[in-house]
Amino acid sequence: CIAYDYLLIFIGMFFLLEACLSAPAVYRKQASAMFAGALASWTGNFLFLAGLSPLPHLDLTPFAFLITCLLFAWALFRLNLLDLVPIAHASVVSSIGDSIIVLDNQDRIVDCNPAAHRLMNLKPKAVFGKRLEEAAPKFAHQCDLSHRETPAEVVELDEQGTRRFYELQVSPLANGKDFQIGKVLVLRDMTKHREAEEKVKQQNDYLSNVLESLTHPFCVLDAEDYTVKIANSAAKGGDWKSGSTCHSLTRRMEQPCN
């Protein structure tokens, strides 16, 4: 039993040591304080079990735990051990207007921001650990992640009878050793952009119909190089085609008139 306990301690200290060597500076200080605290209690217990205590039969473990508690308290209150990452995560992810959904390799929901909760019409924290198809079957069917080949494309979602368009980007999520442990879904509302495109298309179609209804030639020239940008059928019948220049068609000149 003691050997098993020490094995678990060694494994935990190994991960702390790895964090001390590879983590960013702010997290390296936290990991160093935790590693030093764990090392102090382990050292005190080891000296007692090995019979190396300065005073015979004196267990140094309780005194070592005092050092451990001081180091842990320093990491907790001075190095913001439990505050820095949760605050940064909550403030950054929650403030993003795009819907963000984090899935593991089994498509279980690991995390999602408030925008994603509203999009899927789900209660916060009630979906964590559930598969996306189970938590939001309609949303999962509309996105159809199983057959998605491109990293980003526009999907059409039905929100309470209203058609909305979202740019869905699926990115692989890897750990520090480049092993894929899941994927991140980011949905950006493109409805206004799509509506603007449709409006421009309708206006262009209307302009094209108006120009085609004219029986005489009509064209639009570029003010910079005098090339024909738009021409109706009547103008195209007289060689006024898109890309031609007015000076080459009217005066057979390669350069415009001065």
Side-chain angles (χ1 to χ4, degrees):
C1 183
I2 295 179
Y4 178 72
D5 293 339
Y6 269 92
L7 176 62
L8 295 180
I9 293 174
F10 282 140
I11 294 175
M13 292 184 66
F14 171 77
F15 287 114
L16 285 174
L17 181 61
E18 186 179 22
C20 293
L21 299 176
S22 60
V26 61
Y27 304 125
R28 193 179 304 129
K29 292 180 181 180
Q30 298 173 352
S32 299
M34 297 292 292
F35 179 80
L39 183 63
S41 59
W42 177 84
T43 302
N45 186 251
F46 175 78
L47 292 176
F48 172 72
L49 295 177
L52 302 176
S53 177
L55 299 176
H57 308 294
L58 177 63
D59 189 358
L60 299 177
T61 306
F63 302 99
F65 269 112
L66 177 62
I67 300 176
T68 300
C69 291
L70 291 175
L71 289 172
F72 282 7
W74 181 58
L76 181 63
F77 296 107
R78 299 296 297 178
L79 300 180
N80 300 322
L81 178 62
L82 300 180
D83 295 337
L84 188 59
V85 173
I87 289 178
H89 177 274
S91 61
V92 174
V93 177
S94 299
S95 63
I96 296 177
D98 298 340
S99 300
I100 301 176
I101 307 170
V102 182
L103 305 176
D104 63 7
N105 286 328
Q106 285 74 42
D107 286 342
R108 294 176 297 191
I109 300 176
V110 178
D111 195 8
C112 51
N113 66 345
H117 286 128
R118 293 190 296 268
L119 178 62
M120 296 185 293
N121 195 22
L122 298 173
K123 295 181 179 180
K125 299 182 179 179
V127 297
F128 296 151
K130 295 183 179 179
R131 290 178 55 85
L132 184 63
E133 293 82 357
E134 176 186 356
K138 184 178 179 180
F139 172 80
H141 175 71
Q142 291 174 332
C143 291
D144 193 15
L145 298 178
S146 60
H147 298 89
R148 194 154 304 282
E149 298 178 356
T150 57
E153 63 179 88
V154 177
V155 296
E156 181 180 345
L157 302 180
D158 183 15
E159 297 182 20
Q160 299 178 352
T162 303
R163 187 180 66 169
R164 302 192 68 84
F165 297 92
Y166 289 86
E167 182 187 60
L168 172 60
Q169 181 174 358
V170 182
S171 303
L173 181 63
N175 58 12
K177 298 181 180 179
D178 294 331
F179 290 114
Q180 183 171 345
I181 58 176
K183 51 180 169 283
V184 180
L185 280 59
V186 179
L187 292 101
R188 176 168 299 173
D189 194 344
M190 303 290 291
T191 305
K192 292 183 178 180
H193 181 73
R194 178 59 70 92
E195 291 176 350
E197 288 182 343
E198 290 291 337
K199 187 175 182 179
V200 171
K201 183 178 182 300
Q202 292 175 1
Q203 292 175 345
N204 290 336
D205 292 341
Y206 175 77
L207 177 60
S208 177
N209 292 332
V210 171
L211 295 180
E212 289 299 322
S213 66
L214 299 176
T215 57
H216 58 275
F218 183 93
C219 60
V220 178
L221 303 179
D222 190 326
E224 294 292 333
D225 55 8
Y226 304 101
T227 56
V228 177
K229 293 300 182 183
I230 301 176
N232 62 358
S233 298
K236 292 178 181 178
D239 294 331
W240 287 81
K241 299 178 181 180
S242 179
S244 304
T245 60
C246 66
H247 47 271
S248 65
L249 295 172
T250 59
R251 298 178 179 271
R252 307 301 179 184
M253 298 173 59
E254 296 183 358
Q255 299 295 331
C257 300
N258 294 327

